[in-house]
Amino acid sequence: MSNQTFHLPDVGEGLTEAEIVSWRVAPGDQVAVNDVLVEIETAKSLVELPSPFAGVVGDLLVEEGTTVDVGAAIITIADADAASGSAPAEPAAPAEPEGSGSVLVGYGAAGHTTSRRRKPAERPVATSVGVVAKPPIRKLARDLDVDLATVTPTGPAGEVTREDVVRHASQASVFRNIETPEWPEVREETISVAPEIAASAVAPPFQAPSTSPRDTVAPAGDREEAIPVKGVRKATSSAMVRSAYSAPHVSVWTDVDATRTMELVKRLKSSPDYADVKISPLLIVARAVLWAARRTPMINAAWIDLEDGSAEIRVRHFVNLGIAAATPRGLLVPNIKDAQTLSMRDLAKALERLTLTAREGKTSPADQQNGTLTITNIGVFGMDAGTPIINPGESGIVAMGAIRQKPWVVDGEVRPRWVTTVSGSFDHRVIDGDGMSRFIADVAAVLEEPALLVE
């Protein structure tokens, strides 16, 4: 019997390794071209790998929970014609076809396997049975720690949908008007930076402090646990260190009476035009950030170090709006491309799609690239304010705090109002104090009076 070996490919994001999350086939299964063989986790996303061969599954060469290099052999598949003459030792039901119809490309070069296996206790616990839900929905429920038996299904056939799971998880958690310019037709422009300024703005490379043998303590029984740094956590830590030690961060914040924002959110929720889309204060915050960025374009710029040692500031006349999302896989920052062109309703739908996709772990690498400005909603965790770290390649990040009822002075009287704090961190190489203060003040002004968005 002729065996064909499938090697871990580069799925198009320049990865060097990936973790085998779950096999979708077993030895003896009959597979066709483009049937899904395995789900892998890269530094940015979960990816399903389709089979480039038709035949019978032979050996699974890598265990679930193991990280392997691109090019490493992961599975063998016996040729369909050669396999037809002999029955498999342990027959199994054929894998359900899930292929997209495209041909898999890029198998990589030969590599080796690095053993990083999960402990048995780290394996996911099966979700409730006896509930009608598709496998991706069951996985989402496991990731969000939701018992499907407690979820009210709204699907047409009585099945639990991903919106049902996310809604259930959310409910269980604690959570100066001047003329505004139009967005320029030119998408980018550059501002030269003097060579002496560029040189002085480059920070020395970050070096971790050295440790001596006596600084290292070996695990003692159950007193300590070692968690490998890989996948999203590895990518996030690298990006945050690079940002923190290259861009000089400055943070500003202000308290806001967001009562009228909450009133607008309530009206939108009851509007037939928004009946099929989730509405939250984040929608108004996103619109406010887009409005304010149009008035202070340098917020949306980026510092670019050039190969000759000089630098330039690149001003983007478009906004790829990033939304920091806490997911079961770690922090992801997908972005909405050209968000400045979207209507209120289209922006609401884009935010909903972005959030659901991120929580499902299906955010693609392309959706996380080329962001220009980010919002992090720390209010869902009960936080009032923060000093977030800027994403590499950007110059600003806005943090939205919790919205709470507090005493507030209105027309000389103390009244209960919905109050929040808007804060942000900015790259001081690109933005001066007046610019960042004006930007945060504009965001606050919209939250206080959303009618400013109607121009």
Side-chain angles (χ1 to χ4, degrees):
M1 182 181 298
S2 172
N3 281 340
Q4 302 179 89
T5 302
F6 179 41
H7 299 269
L8 179 69
D10 181 344
V11 294
E13 54 181 292
L15 80 159
T16 59
E17 63 180 16
E19 179 182 345
I20 304 298
V21 176
S22 62
W23 286 105
R24 299 294 182 83
V25 295
D29 284 357
Q30 186 82 30
V31 294
V33 173
N34 285 326
D35 281 357
V36 174
L37 297 176
V38 63
E39 183 179 50
I40 65 171
E41 181 177 23
T42 72
K44 293 185 177 180
S45 60
L46 288 172
V47 179
E48 293 178 335
L49 295 184
S51 175
F53 314 122
V56 176
V57 175
D59 296 322
L60 307 182
L61 304 178
V62 182
E63 294 183 14
E64 292 180 354
T66 303
T67 297
V68 297
D69 294 335
V70 167
I74 60 175
I75 187 175
T76 63
I77 299 176
D79 180 75
D81 294 333
S84 60
S86 60
E90 297 180 2
E96 180 183 354
E98 298 182 40
S100 61
S102 60
V103 178
L104 185 67
V105 295
Y107 300 123
H112 63 278
T113 300
T114 305
S115 179
R116 301 176 186 172
R117 298 172 184 168
R118 288 193 184 109
K119 300 176 183 179
E122 296 175 334
R123 300 302 299 277
V125 180
T127 312
S128 304
V129 296
V131 177
V132 180
K134 295 180 179 179
I137 306 305
R138 292 185 177 275
K139 182 181 184 303
L140 175 62
R142 290 197 303 270
D143 291 340
L144 297 180
D145 196 23
V146 170
D147 184 354
L148 284 177
T150 64
V151 178
T152 302
T154 62
E159 75 274 15
V160 175
T161 66
R162 67 175 183 173
E163 289 81 5
D164 297 334
V165 174
V166 171
R167 186 182 305 111
H168 186 91
S170 300
Q171 292 171 347
S173 65
V174 179
F175 286 128
R176 320 150 158 100
N177 196 18
I178 59 175
E179 182 179 355
T180 303
E182 295 296 328
W183 286 101
E185 294 183 1
V186 178
R187 287 178 64 83
E188 291 186 347
E189 63 176 303
T190 58
I191 301 173
S192 299
V193 179
E196 61 273 15
I197 297 177
S200 65
V202 178
F206 172 72
Q207 294 182 345
S210 61
T211 57
S212 63
R214 69 177 61 187
D215 295 327
T216 304
V217 180
D222 295 332
R223 289 169 57 84
E224 294 183 354
E225 177 186 3
I227 301 176
V229 178
K230 57 184 178 180
V232 172
R233 175 54 54 196
K234 183 177 181 179
T236 299
S237 62
S238 176
M240 293 300 97
V241 168
R242 187 166 69 253
S243 175
Y245 286 91
S246 61
H249 285 52
V250 176
S251 298
V252 295
W253 56 88
T254 186
D255 292 335
V256 183
D257 177 1
T259 302
R260 289 182 177 174
T261 284
M262 299 302 287
E263 292 171 350
L264 175 58
V265 169
K266 184 177 180 180
R267 288 197 298 272
L268 292 178
K269 285 183 176 180
S270 61
S271 170
D273 293 336
Y274 292 83
D276 61 339
V277 62
K278 181 180 179 180
I279 303 297
S280 74
L282 179 60
L283 171 62
I284 314 303
V285 174
R287 290 282 287 186
V289 167
L290 293 170
W291 185 78
R294 196 170 65 188
R295 292 153 61 91
T296 308
M298 295 302 288
I299 293 292
N300 199 43
W303 179 280
I304 306 296
D305 290 312
L306 303 178
E307 293 182 357
D308 61 2
S310 63
E312 66 183 20
I313 296 172
R314 188 167 300 163
V315 184
R316 282 79 65 102
H317 301 308
F318 62 96
V319 180
N320 291 343
L321 185 63
I323 306 295
T327 76
R329 297 177 54 237
L331 177 67
L332 299 179
V333 190
N335 62 77
I336 300 170
K337 302 295 191 288
D338 286 309
Q340 82 285 353
T341 66
L342 301 180
S343 66
M344 180 83 85
R345 174 179 164 79
D346 288 340
L347 183 59
K349 292 178 74 70
L351 286 169
E352 184 177 32
R353 285 195 300 269
L354 177 150
T355 302
L356 290 174
T357 303
R359 287 176 176 172
E360 256 190 336
K362 298 296 184 181
T363 302
S364 68
D367 287 339
Q368 300 176 67
Q369 296 172 352
N370 303 318
T372 66
L373 183 60
T374 293
I375 298 172
T376 177
N377 186 9
I378 60 176
V380 296
F381 307 113
M383 298 296 101
D384 292 324
T387 55
I389 295 179
I390 305 164
N391 283 324
E394 303 177 20
S395 293
I397 180 170
V398 178
M400 183 66 190
I403 302 177
R404 312 178 193 274
Q405 277 203 315
K406 295 182 179 180
W408 193 265
V409 178
V410 181
D411 297 330
E413 298 180 357
V414 178
R415 302 177 186 176
R417 305 289 283 183
W418 290 102
V419 178
T420 188
T421 301
V422 179
S423 57
S425 297
F426 305 94
D427 186 341
H428 214 327
R429 297 174 300 177
V430 178
I431 309 161
D432 294 329
D434 63 330
M436 65 183 76
S437 299
R438 184 167 57 249
F439 171 76
I440 289 295
D442 278 344
V443 173
V446 172
L447 296 183
E448 289 180 348
E449 183 46 84
L452 289 174
L453 295 173
V454 181
E455 298 182 347

